[in-house]
Amino acid sequence: MIQCCCGMPHDLGRRGLLAMAIAAAVVPARGHAAPASAGPADPAVLDDLVVANHILFDQGVVDGFGHISVRHDKDPNRYLLARSMAPALVAADDIMEFDLDSVPVDPRGRTPYLERFIHGEIYKLRPDVVAIVHSHSPSVIPFADTKIALKPMNHIAGFLGTGAPVFDIRGAGGPATDMLIRNNALGKALAVTLGPHPVALMRGHGSVAVAQSIRHVVFRAVYTEVNARVEAQALAMGGKPEFLNPQEAEAAMKTNDGLVGRPWELWKRHAEAKS
Amino acid sequence: MIQCCCGMPHDLGRRGLLAMAIAAAVVPARGHAAPASAGPADPAVLDDLVVANHILFDQGVVDGFGHISVRHDKDPNRYLLARSMAPALVAADDIMEFDLDSVPVDPRGRTPYLERFIHGEIYKLRPDVVAIVHSHSPSVIPFADTKIALKPMNHIAGFLGTGAPVFDIRGAGGPATDMLIRNNALGKALAVTLGPHPVALMRGHGSVAVAQSIRHVVFRAVYTEVNARVEAQALAMGGKPEFLNPQEAEAAMKTNDGLVGRPWELWKRHAEAKS
Amino acid sequence: MIQCCCGMPHDLGRRGLLAMAIAAAVVPARGHAAPASAGPADPAVLDDLVVANHILFDQGVVDGFGHISVRHDKDPNRYLLARSMAPALVAADDIMEFDLDSVPVDPRGRTPYLERFIHGEIYKLRPDVVAIVHSHSPSVIPFADTKIALKPMNHIAGFLGTGAPVFDIRGAGGPATDMLIRNNALGKALAVTLGPHPVALMRGHGSVAVAQSIRHVVFRAVYTEVNARVEAQALAMGGKPEFLNPQEAEAAMKTNDGLVGRPWELWKRHAEAKS
Amino acid sequence: MIQCCCGMPHDLGRRGLLAMAIAAAVVPARGHAAPASAGPADPAVLDDLVVANHILFDQGVVDGFGHISVRHDKDPNRYLLARSMAPALVAADDIMEFDLDSVPVDPRGRTPYLERFIHGEIYKLRPDVVAIVHSHSPSVIPFADTKIALKPMNHIAGFLGTGAPVFDIRGAGGPATDMLIRNNALGKALAVTLGPHPVALMRGHGSVAVAQSIRHVVFRAVYTEVNARVEAQALAMGGKPEFLNPQEAEAAMKTNDGLVGRPWELWKRHAEAKS
């Protein structure tokens, strides 16, 4: 029996004590209470978030690592993200709520991702952003590591515009990090590099994509990987690709933003048939 | 309740009004009535068209985007094409009929593909063509963007002849399009670039393949992608491939045109086992 | 009712007449009778042949095209090969018997492969060979077309020895063939190029592999493709691979010849689980 | 009926005699008795070992060849390894126990892998190592054959540190081996090249990975292959990748060592759903 901060004694048992220990580890060091919840999110948004986790695995964007979040539909200062686990296995009960400092509202013993700060800091700097994907999708990494510009090979990847910026953690984190965005300062540095772009690459790590909805960000994450594969082939062939010019890229992105429902239905059916 | 063009009052409801709005958007601006139907198509052709949609997805030629059409077997001035949706999910009821200006005969609330004009304009200029595939198959795009010639690496791709021509939309559409073939003028420009060839590449976009039947065009679309992958490997290895010469390519195409039933049976069984 | 060559009148119907027409097309032009059968083959050999067809598809060596034969266990002057169809769909009843001139013993309306002469002529020149695979496996074609030597990257492909010879049909067939080995003269030219090797590449076409059993030739066909992929990667990276030297290749081949049962069991289970 | 070494007459039959012959072949030539068993291993370890065999196949690290072992949890001088078979098909009863000279404790007619000496000799020289994978994973071979350094492209492969050393069997085995680690002397030479590293490449062969547990070594084997693919793409693009520096690699490895359970759960579910 312990005395809770609510003033009531509780018999928590081993599981409850573990949950509290984990919660303690993720609340701000200054001893602030856990942030208040924005209340239940729209079930349709939650459902899309779970499905998006499965799609990103099925389409080869994430493997055991990587994550996707959505801004809370009731409060722009809260976001939703699965607990630390493989995206393919995420279910509704694994979704946690965070404030924009990436402090969990009610962890209930669930461990959050080490890199949740990517999400919180981008939501702070980018009020237009509603959903974020972080991944190590394999064809993108060579662009992050070589600084060869990742640019749109066709209209589907028009959102890449004039090329994705590259974030190098050595700038904000020094030469000896474990490469992870493990705190708000690193998250903010990444968000600043991202700037107004839909995609940023991360040297020695992977990439991040942002958009106005879960379906849009899944579209961008999938086609960032596809475009990287296509551009890599063109370069390996010894070619000099003629990329979309900025006007073409912008116009194509606008058109495609109206069409994201089409691949979403396909990917959803494909991913859910397997799970 | 609204007054229909047939003279009768109907209670259409929200769905019906939406259908009319969409139909209005695709009837010619000059206010022409919807074109007359050529009547029911041969059920075997319709069945092949549905199966072809599934095969093209299963073989990696299309993903959520891309489409295949067939000229109507009762009237060379009509063609059949699915409504705007992922090819893998197409069923018989999704097939729409169009005239060669790409005006739908009876949309019934079904949204047509933005790029249906590819089909109509090629059918106009190429009376020999019975079926058309448009896709963004990934290994072909590097050839479209770099102008490295896509040529037959082996007899199976003999139809590529002396190389596929490349269409750049900047010629007919200017420097700021969204890359899509969204009207008859752009469709015609693409058809002119295609000329007498079985395949044309589209810069910053993908490709189009044409043939004398659904089975032939599926064969060509699949092996255009396979050949692109094989040629890309040869070039990345630093090799100078000895392509089929024009006589070999022509002779091989003639032989293979008699053999398309063999892979069709395989692909059909493979695709339908999954759906 | 027609008068058969056996002297008996038969009511063949449309199907029977078609079968006769096909048989006529494949009996020697000189009017020779069909060759005598060597009798029923060992059921275990037939079963391996059917399974091998499925494995070659499942492992990506053949698609709708390509074929595998085995020398008849009762008569070295006969061989067994499926009728013209996709290997993945072959069943026992599709297996036909041929003499070494590639004349079918009893076609029963079944169309033979156009390129069966590959098999007959190699069996003539190579008494040590018991099984043959012909394929267009994709990673091998760049080596056939560029003359970059295909050599063993590791012990598993030791059978490649000092490199696979390349057959160019222009030598024996002139500059305007459809690339196919459609007669005994072309088959013999290919067999001469193969010489004592286990694998020969075919310019603008694919490759052929031979071995002392069905299981050995499947092993070689699969790992020829795997080795081509691995060597292509090394070359695309800008590397100069250190291949197995001739002694290493020979020793490795001998060892692996004793181990082909291991992948066979795996591939068989994998292929048959899907069919 | 034969007289057994236990003093009892047995009717072994053909199968039993074969088992004895095989056992004889693997007991030390000096006539030593079979080593004593360390007793039953922890069932959880055995279960992980069986699952790891399946995962390595499902993730493309092994095909019909390759193997994984674990040091016995009751005795550091014993290790556990499947009999000679395709890893995908391994079940609990296929697991054999060996001493560090790689002599089987109780073969019971089961043939051991020819290259078991890789495991015994590494366990001798590396007391910190608990599990070992040997594979021919395809993307790694080009690095082994060209001596292009395999280095960490992102944090997930931090364990690669400053690059994996390359073992050339010609040093210890001369110029005419079959490339296999068929005895303790060759195994020791490989172990010496491995030194303190988690991964060593083997020229003309494949690679070996080691770690502190089955789950850690599976993580390393999978991501060695992934990293090789990613690095190969960067090089084929003509890029000069900025690899993780030694401090970053070390820090990333430490972090990831705490996260191996996450992909393990995913891979296990994926592999077991298929078997």
PDB file of all heavy atoms in Angstrom, chain C residues 101-127:
ATOM      1  N   ASP C 101      16.754 -36.302 -81.402  1.00  0.00           N
ATOM      2  CA  ASP C 101      16.478 -35.293 -82.434  1.00  0.00           C
ATOM      3  C   ASP C 101      15.307 -34.393 -82.003  1.00  0.00           C
ATOM      4  O   ASP C 101      14.828 -33.571 -82.784  1.00  0.00           O
ATOM      5  CB  ASP C 101      16.134 -35.975 -83.765  1.00  0.00           C
ATOM      6  CG  ASP C 101      17.374 -36.523 -84.449  1.00  0.00           C
ATOM      7  OD1 ASP C 101      18.473 -35.943 -84.264  1.00  0.00           O
ATOM      8  OD2 ASP C 101      17.266 -37.549 -85.162  1.00  0.00           O
ATOM      9  N   SER C 102      14.832 -34.614 -80.803  1.00  0.00           N
ATOM     10  CA  SER C 102      13.734 -33.823 -80.213  1.00  0.00           C
ATOM     11  C   SER C 102      12.400 -34.022 -80.921  1.00  0.00           C
ATOM     12  O   SER C 102      11.549 -33.130 -80.977  1.00  0.00           O
ATOM     13  CB  SER C 102      14.111 -32.331 -80.129  1.00  0.00           C
ATOM     14  OG  SER C 102      15.207 -32.174 -79.257  1.00  0.00           O
ATOM     15  N   VAL C 103      12.230 -35.237 -81.447  1.00  0.00           N
ATOM     16  CA  VAL C 103      10.935 -35.631 -81.999  1.00  0.00           C
ATOM     17  C   VAL C 103      10.140 -36.294 -80.868  1.00  0.00           C
ATOM     18  O   VAL C 103      10.658 -37.196 -80.197  1.00  0.00           O
ATOM     19  CB  VAL C 103      11.114 -36.633 -83.159  1.00  0.00           C
ATOM     20  CG1 VAL C 103       9.751 -37.027 -83.726  1.00  0.00           C
ATOM     21  CG2 VAL C 103      12.007 -36.037 -84.235  1.00  0.00           C
ATOM     22  N   PRO C 104       8.904 -35.842 -80.634  1.00  0.00           N
ATOM     23  CA  PRO C 104       8.133 -36.432 -79.533  1.00  0.00           C
ATOM     24  C   PRO C 104       7.685 -37.855 -79.859  1.00  0.00           C
ATOM     25  O   PRO C 104       7.341 -38.161 -81.002  1.00  0.00           O
ATOM     26  CB  PRO C 104       6.925 -35.501 -79.407  1.00  0.00           C
ATOM     27  CG  PRO C 104       6.833 -34.761 -80.692  1.00  0.00           C
ATOM     28  CD  PRO C 104       8.200 -34.740 -81.313  1.00  0.00           C
ATOM     29  N   VAL C 105       7.683 -38.686 -78.835  1.00  0.00           N
ATOM     30  CA  VAL C 105       7.316 -40.088 -78.996  1.00  0.00           C
ATOM     31  C   VAL C 105       5.805 -40.226 -79.185  1.00  0.00           C
ATOM     32  O   VAL C 105       5.334 -40.938 -80.053  1.00  0.00           O
ATOM     33  CB  VAL C 105       7.793 -40.879 -77.754  1.00  0.00           C
ATOM     34  CG1 VAL C 105       7.115 -42.237 -77.671  1.00  0.00           C
ATOM     35  CG2 VAL C 105       9.313 -41.023 -77.800  1.00  0.00           C
ATOM     36  N   ASP C 106       5.061 -39.516 -78.389  1.00  0.00           N
ATOM     37  CA  ASP C 106       3.608 -39.660 -78.416  1.00  0.00           C
ATOM     38  C   ASP C 106       2.962 -38.364 -77.946  1.00  0.00           C
ATOM     39  O   ASP C 106       2.556 -38.247 -76.787  1.00  0.00           O
ATOM     40  CB  ASP C 106       3.214 -40.825 -77.486  1.00  0.00           C
ATOM     41  CG  ASP C 106       1.704 -41.016 -77.451  1.00  0.00           C
ATOM     42  OD1 ASP C 106       1.002 -40.545 -78.369  1.00  0.00           O
ATOM     43  OD2 ASP C 106       1.230 -41.638 -76.474  1.00  0.00           O
ATOM     44  N   PRO C 107       2.898 -37.362 -78.835  1.00  0.00           N
ATOM     45  CA  PRO C 107       2.482 -36.019 -78.371  1.00  0.00           C
ATOM     46  C   PRO C 107       1.064 -35.974 -77.810  1.00  0.00           C
ATOM     47  O   PRO C 107       0.771 -35.166 -76.936  1.00  0.00           O
ATOM     48  CB  PRO C 107       2.602 -35.157 -79.621  1.00  0.00           C
ATOM     49  CG  PRO C 107       2.807 -36.057 -80.769  1.00  0.00           C
ATOM     50  CD  PRO C 107       3.343 -37.349 -80.245  1.00  0.00           C
ATOM     51  N   ARG C 108       0.147 -36.854 -78.281  1.00  0.00           N
ATOM     52  CA  ARG C 108      -1.237 -36.822 -77.797  1.00  0.00           C
ATOM     53  C   ARG C 108      -1.786 -35.392 -77.718  1.00  0.00           C
ATOM     54  O   ARG C 108      -2.385 -35.004 -76.720  1.00  0.00           O
ATOM     55  CB  ARG C 108      -1.345 -37.465 -76.406  1.00  0.00           C
ATOM     56  CG  ARG C 108      -1.179 -38.970 -76.451  1.00  0.00           C
ATOM     57  CD  ARG C 108      -1.498 -39.587 -75.106  1.00  0.00           C
ATOM     58  NE  ARG C 108      -0.412 -39.481 -74.167  1.00  0.00           N
ATOM     59  CZ  ARG C 108      -0.508 -39.003 -72.925  1.00  0.00           C
ATOM     60  NH1 ARG C 108      -1.662 -38.574 -72.455  1.00  0.00           N
ATOM     61  NH2 ARG C 108       0.547 -38.954 -72.144  1.00  0.00           N
ATOM     62  N   GLY C 109      -1.545 -34.605 -78.748  1.00  0.00           N
ATOM     63  CA  GLY C 109      -2.134 -33.275 -78.801  1.00  0.00           C
ATOM     64  C   GLY C 109      -1.409 -32.227 -77.993  1.00  0.00           C
ATOM     65  O   GLY C 109      -1.838 -31.070 -77.938  1.00  0.00           O
ATOM     66  N   ARG C 110      -0.346 -32.636 -77.337  1.00  0.00           N
ATOM     67  CA  ARG C 110       0.388 -31.676 -76.516  1.00  0.00           C
ATOM     68  C   ARG C 110       1.448 -30.964 -77.362  1.00  0.00           C
ATOM     69  O   ARG C 110       2.236 -31.625 -78.047  1.00  0.00           O
ATOM     70  CB  ARG C 110       1.033 -32.403 -75.338  1.00  0.00           C
ATOM     71  CG  ARG C 110      -0.007 -33.025 -74.400  1.00  0.00           C
ATOM     72  CD  ARG C 110       0.643 -33.948 -73.372  1.00  0.00           C
ATOM     73  NE  ARG C 110       1.344 -35.052 -74.021  1.00  0.00           N
ATOM     74  CZ  ARG C 110       2.002 -36.002 -73.366  1.00  0.00           C
ATOM     75  NH1 ARG C 110       2.044 -35.986 -72.043  1.00  0.00           N
ATOM     76  NH2 ARG C 110       2.624 -36.971 -74.026  1.00  0.00           N
ATOM     77  N   THR C 111       1.483 -29.650 -77.333  1.00  0.00           N
ATOM     78  CA  THR C 111       2.459 -28.874 -78.098  1.00  0.00           C
ATOM     79  C   THR C 111       3.803 -28.867 -77.380  1.00  0.00           C
ATOM     80  O   THR C 111       3.855 -28.551 -76.191  1.00  0.00           O
ATOM     81  CB  THR C 111       1.995 -27.407 -78.229  1.00  0.00           C
ATOM     82  OG1 THR C 111       0.648 -27.401 -78.687  1.00  0.00           O
ATOM     83  CG2 THR C 111       2.883 -26.632 -79.187  1.00  0.00           C
ATOM     84  N   PRO C 112       4.879 -29.204 -78.077  1.00  0.00           N
ATOM     85  CA  PRO C 112       6.191 -29.150 -77.405  1.00  0.00           C
ATOM     86  C   PRO C 112       6.767 -27.729 -77.426  1.00  0.00           C
ATOM     87  O   PRO C 112       6.337 -26.885 -78.208  1.00  0.00           O
ATOM     88  CB  PRO C 112       7.054 -30.086 -78.254  1.00  0.00           C
ATOM     89  CG  PRO C 112       6.448 -30.040 -79.614  1.00  0.00           C
ATOM     90  CD  PRO C 112       4.971 -29.707 -79.458  1.00  0.00           C
ATOM     91  N   TYR C 113       7.760 -27.485 -76.555  1.00  0.00           N
ATOM     92  CA  TYR C 113       8.459 -26.196 -76.550  1.00  0.00           C
ATOM     93  C   TYR C 113       9.173 -25.989 -77.884  1.00  0.00           C
ATOM     94  O   TYR C 113       9.763 -26.930 -78.446  1.00  0.00           O
ATOM     95  CB  TYR C 113       9.516 -26.162 -75.443  1.00  0.00           C
ATOM     96  CG  TYR C 113       8.967 -26.065 -74.033  1.00  0.00           C
ATOM     97  CD1 TYR C 113       9.179 -27.084 -73.111  1.00  0.00           C
ATOM     98  CD2 TYR C 113       8.272 -24.930 -73.610  1.00  0.00           C
ATOM     99  CE1 TYR C 113       8.705 -26.988 -71.805  1.00  0.00           C
ATOM    100  CE2 TYR C 113       7.786 -24.836 -72.310  1.00  0.00           C
ATOM    101  CZ  TYR C 113       8.005 -25.866 -71.409  1.00  0.00           C
ATOM    102  OH  TYR C 113       7.526 -25.770 -70.122  1.00  0.00           O
ATOM    103  N   LEU C 114       9.154 -24.761 -78.393  1.00  0.00           N
ATOM    104  CA  LEU C 114       9.870 -24.440 -79.633  1.00  0.00           C
ATOM    105  C   LEU C 114      11.361 -24.728 -79.515  1.00  0.00           C
ATOM    106  O   LEU C 114      12.019 -25.035 -80.505  1.00  0.00           O
ATOM    107  CB  LEU C 114       9.699 -22.942 -79.958  1.00  0.00           C
ATOM    108  CG  LEU C 114       8.318 -22.484 -80.410  1.00  0.00           C
ATOM    109  CD1 LEU C 114       8.288 -20.957 -80.521  1.00  0.00           C
ATOM    110  CD2 LEU C 114       7.962 -23.126 -81.749  1.00  0.00           C
ATOM    111  N   GLU C 115      11.898 -24.628 -78.309  1.00  0.00           N
ATOM    112  CA  GLU C 115      13.347 -24.725 -78.131  1.00  0.00           C
ATOM    113  C   GLU C 115      13.794 -26.063 -77.550  1.00  0.00           C
ATOM    114  O   GLU C 115      14.877 -26.151 -76.966  1.00  0.00           O
ATOM    115  CB  GLU C 115      13.832 -23.596 -77.222  1.00  0.00           C
ATOM    116  CG  GLU C 115      13.581 -22.219 -77.809  1.00  0.00           C
ATOM    117  CD  GLU C 115      14.415 -21.183 -77.107  1.00  0.00           C
ATOM    118  OE1 GLU C 115      14.110 -20.878 -75.937  1.00  0.00           O
ATOM    119  OE2 GLU C 115      15.373 -20.691 -77.728  1.00  0.00           O
ATOM    120  N   ARG C 116      12.986 -27.118 -77.749  1.00  0.00           N
ATOM    121  CA  ARG C 116      13.368 -28.418 -77.191  1.00  0.00           C
ATOM    122  C   ARG C 116      14.715 -28.912 -77.726  1.00  0.00           C
ATOM    123  O   ARG C 116      15.381 -29.732 -77.102  1.00  0.00           O
ATOM    124  CB  ARG C 116      12.273 -29.441 -77.465  1.00  0.00           C
ATOM    125  CG  ARG C 116      11.991 -29.657 -78.947  1.00  0.00           C
ATOM    126  CD  ARG C 116      10.664 -30.356 -79.175  1.00  0.00           C
ATOM    127  NE  ARG C 116      10.339 -30.529 -80.583  1.00  0.00           N
ATOM    128  CZ  ARG C 116       9.809 -29.601 -81.362  1.00  0.00           C
ATOM    129  NH1 ARG C 116       9.537 -28.407 -80.872  1.00  0.00           N
ATOM    130  NH2 ARG C 116       9.545 -29.847 -82.631  1.00  0.00           N
ATOM    131  N   PHE C 117      15.142 -28.347 -78.865  1.00  0.00           N
ATOM    132  CA  PHE C 117      16.408 -28.781 -79.487  1.00  0.00           C
ATOM    133  C   PHE C 117      17.614 -28.477 -78.615  1.00  0.00           C
ATOM    134  O   PHE C 117      18.653 -29.111 -78.746  1.00  0.00           O
ATOM    135  CB  PHE C 117      16.544 -28.144 -80.873  1.00  0.00           C
ATOM    136  CG  PHE C 117      15.319 -28.353 -81.702  1.00  0.00           C
ATOM    137  CD1 PHE C 117      14.342 -27.364 -81.810  1.00  0.00           C
ATOM    138  CD2 PHE C 117      15.093 -29.581 -82.327  1.00  0.00           C
ATOM    139  CE1 PHE C 117      13.184 -27.579 -82.546  1.00  0.00           C
ATOM    140  CE2 PHE C 117      13.930 -29.798 -83.057  1.00  0.00           C
ATOM    141  CZ  PHE C 117      12.974 -28.791 -83.169  1.00  0.00           C
ATOM    142  N   ILE C 118      17.489 -27.513 -77.726  1.00  0.00           N
ATOM    143  CA  ILE C 118      18.555 -27.275 -76.737  1.00  0.00           C
ATOM    144  C   ILE C 118      18.862 -28.573 -75.998  1.00  0.00           C
ATOM    145  O   ILE C 118      20.029 -28.957 -75.819  1.00  0.00           O
ATOM    146  CB  ILE C 118      18.104 -26.209 -75.702  1.00  0.00           C
ATOM    147  CG1 ILE C 118      17.958 -24.840 -76.356  1.00  0.00           C
ATOM    148  CG2 ILE C 118      19.046 -26.174 -74.505  1.00  0.00           C
ATOM    149  CD1 ILE C 118      17.304 -23.791 -75.445  1.00  0.00           C
ATOM    150  N   HIS C 119      17.815 -29.246 -75.574  1.00  0.00           N
ATOM    151  CA  HIS C 119      17.969 -30.437 -74.744  1.00  0.00           C
ATOM    152  C   HIS C 119      18.545 -31.605 -75.553  1.00  0.00           C
ATOM    153  O   HIS C 119      19.523 -32.232 -75.159  1.00  0.00           O
ATOM    154  CB  HIS C 119      16.623 -30.795 -74.115  1.00  0.00           C
ATOM    155  CG  HIS C 119      16.049 -29.669 -73.310  1.00  0.00           C
ATOM    156  ND1 HIS C 119      16.270 -29.521 -71.969  1.00  0.00           N
ATOM    157  CD2 HIS C 119      15.288 -28.598 -73.672  1.00  0.00           C
ATOM    158  CE1 HIS C 119      15.652 -28.420 -71.523  1.00  0.00           C
ATOM    159  NE2 HIS C 119      15.047 -27.842 -72.550  1.00  0.00           N
ATOM    160  N   GLY C 120      17.904 -31.899 -76.693  1.00  0.00           N
ATOM    161  CA  GLY C 120      18.338 -33.057 -77.480  1.00  0.00           C
ATOM    162  C   GLY C 120      19.798 -32.976 -77.887  1.00  0.00           C
ATOM    163  O   GLY C 120      20.554 -33.958 -77.762  1.00  0.00           O
ATOM    164  N   GLU C 121      20.205 -31.807 -78.351  1.00  0.00           N
ATOM    165  CA  GLU C 121      21.581 -31.693 -78.856  1.00  0.00           C
ATOM    166  C   GLU C 121      22.614 -31.736 -77.738  1.00  0.00           C
ATOM    167  O   GLU C 121      23.717 -32.240 -77.927  1.00  0.00           O
ATOM    168  CB  GLU C 121      21.716 -30.418 -79.698  1.00  0.00           C
ATOM    169  CG  GLU C 121      20.930 -30.480 -81.008  1.00  0.00           C
ATOM    170  CD  GLU C 121      21.414 -31.588 -81.956  1.00  0.00           C
ATOM    171  OE1 GLU C 121      22.638 -31.829 -82.019  1.00  0.00           O
ATOM    172  OE2 GLU C 121      20.555 -32.227 -82.609  1.00  0.00           O
ATOM    173  N   ILE C 122      22.273 -31.200 -76.574  1.00  0.00           N
ATOM    174  CA  ILE C 122      23.227 -31.306 -75.461  1.00  0.00           C
ATOM    175  C   ILE C 122      23.323 -32.760 -74.992  1.00  0.00           C
ATOM    176  O   ILE C 122      24.413 -33.264 -74.723  1.00  0.00           O
ATOM    177  CB  ILE C 122      22.851 -30.357 -74.300  1.00  0.00           C
ATOM    178  CG1 ILE C 122      23.062 -28.899 -74.734  1.00  0.00           C
ATOM    179  CG2 ILE C 122      23.677 -30.666 -73.056  1.00  0.00           C
ATOM    180  CD1 ILE C 122      22.593 -27.859 -73.720  1.00  0.00           C
ATOM    181  N   TYR C 123      22.196 -33.459 -74.933  1.00  0.00           N
ATOM    182  CA  TYR C 123      22.270 -34.882 -74.536  1.00  0.00           C
ATOM    183  C   TYR C 123      23.117 -35.687 -75.530  1.00  0.00           C
ATOM    184  O   TYR C 123      23.810 -36.629 -75.148  1.00  0.00           O
ATOM    185  CB  TYR C 123      20.867 -35.487 -74.415  1.00  0.00           C
ATOM    186  CG  TYR C 123      20.097 -35.009 -73.193  1.00  0.00           C
ATOM    187  CD1 TYR C 123      18.831 -34.452 -73.313  1.00  0.00           C
ATOM    188  CD2 TYR C 123      20.637 -35.147 -71.911  1.00  0.00           C
ATOM    189  CE1 TYR C 123      18.119 -34.010 -72.197  1.00  0.00           C
ATOM    190  CE2 TYR C 123      19.928 -34.713 -70.797  1.00  0.00           C
ATOM    191  CZ  TYR C 123      18.676 -34.146 -70.947  1.00  0.00           C
ATOM    192  OH  TYR C 123      17.986 -33.721 -69.835  1.00  0.00           O
ATOM    193  N   LYS C 124      23.067 -35.304 -76.806  1.00  0.00           N
ATOM    194  CA  LYS C 124      23.899 -36.012 -77.793  1.00  0.00           C
ATOM    195  C   LYS C 124      25.382 -35.813 -77.528  1.00  0.00           C
ATOM    196  O   LYS C 124      26.163 -36.761 -77.553  1.00  0.00           O
ATOM    197  CB  LYS C 124      23.596 -35.486 -79.213  1.00  0.00           C
ATOM    198  CG  LYS C 124      22.378 -36.080 -79.888  1.00  0.00           C
ATOM    199  CD  LYS C 124      22.288 -35.541 -81.326  1.00  0.00           C
ATOM    200  CE  LYS C 124      20.909 -35.740 -81.913  1.00  0.00           C
ATOM    201  NZ  LYS C 124      20.710 -34.931 -83.142  1.00  0.00           N
ATOM    202  N   LEU C 125      25.763 -34.571 -77.306  1.00  0.00           N
ATOM    203  CA  LEU C 125      27.196 -34.260 -77.188  1.00  0.00           C
ATOM    204  C   LEU C 125      27.752 -34.504 -75.795  1.00  0.00           C
ATOM    205  O   LEU C 125      28.966 -34.559 -75.631  1.00  0.00           O
ATOM    206  CB  LEU C 125      27.464 -32.795 -77.570  1.00  0.00           C
ATOM    207  CG  LEU C 125      27.347 -32.392 -79.024  1.00  0.00           C
ATOM    208  CD1 LEU C 125      28.073 -31.073 -79.273  1.00  0.00           C
ATOM    209  CD2 LEU C 125      27.896 -33.467 -79.963  1.00  0.00           C
ATOM    210  N   ARG C 126      26.891 -34.598 -74.802  1.00  0.00           N
ATOM    211  CA  ARG C 126      27.377 -34.705 -73.419  1.00  0.00           C
ATOM    212  C   ARG C 126      26.772 -35.933 -72.731  1.00  0.00           C
ATOM    213  O   ARG C 126      25.800 -35.820 -71.980  1.00  0.00           O
ATOM    214  CB  ARG C 126      26.992 -33.445 -72.628  1.00  0.00           C
ATOM    215  CG  ARG C 126      27.773 -32.179 -72.986  1.00  0.00           C
ATOM    216  CD  ARG C 126      29.168 -32.164 -72.355  1.00  0.00           C
ATOM    217  NE  ARG C 126      29.100 -32.196 -70.915  1.00  0.00           N
ATOM    218  CZ  ARG C 126      29.012 -31.111 -70.139  1.00  0.00           C
ATOM    219  NH1 ARG C 126      29.027 -29.919 -70.664  1.00  0.00           N
ATOM    220  NH2 ARG C 126      28.948 -31.237 -68.833  1.00  0.00           N
ATOM    221  N   PRO C 127      27.381 -37.118 -72.960  1.00  0.00           N
ATOM    222  CA  PRO C 127      26.815 -38.328 -72.350  1.00  0.00           C
ATOM    223  C   PRO C 127      26.779 -38.271 -70.823  1.00  0.00           C
ATOM    224  O   PRO C 127      25.998 -39.002 -70.199  1.00  0.00           O
ATOM    225  CB  PRO C 127      27.747 -39.454 -72.826  1.00  0.00           C
ATOM    226  CG  PRO C 127      28.863 -38.813 -73.561  1.00  0.00           C
ATOM    227  CD  PRO C 127      28.529 -37.386 -73.843  1.00  0.00           C
TER     228      PRO C 127
END
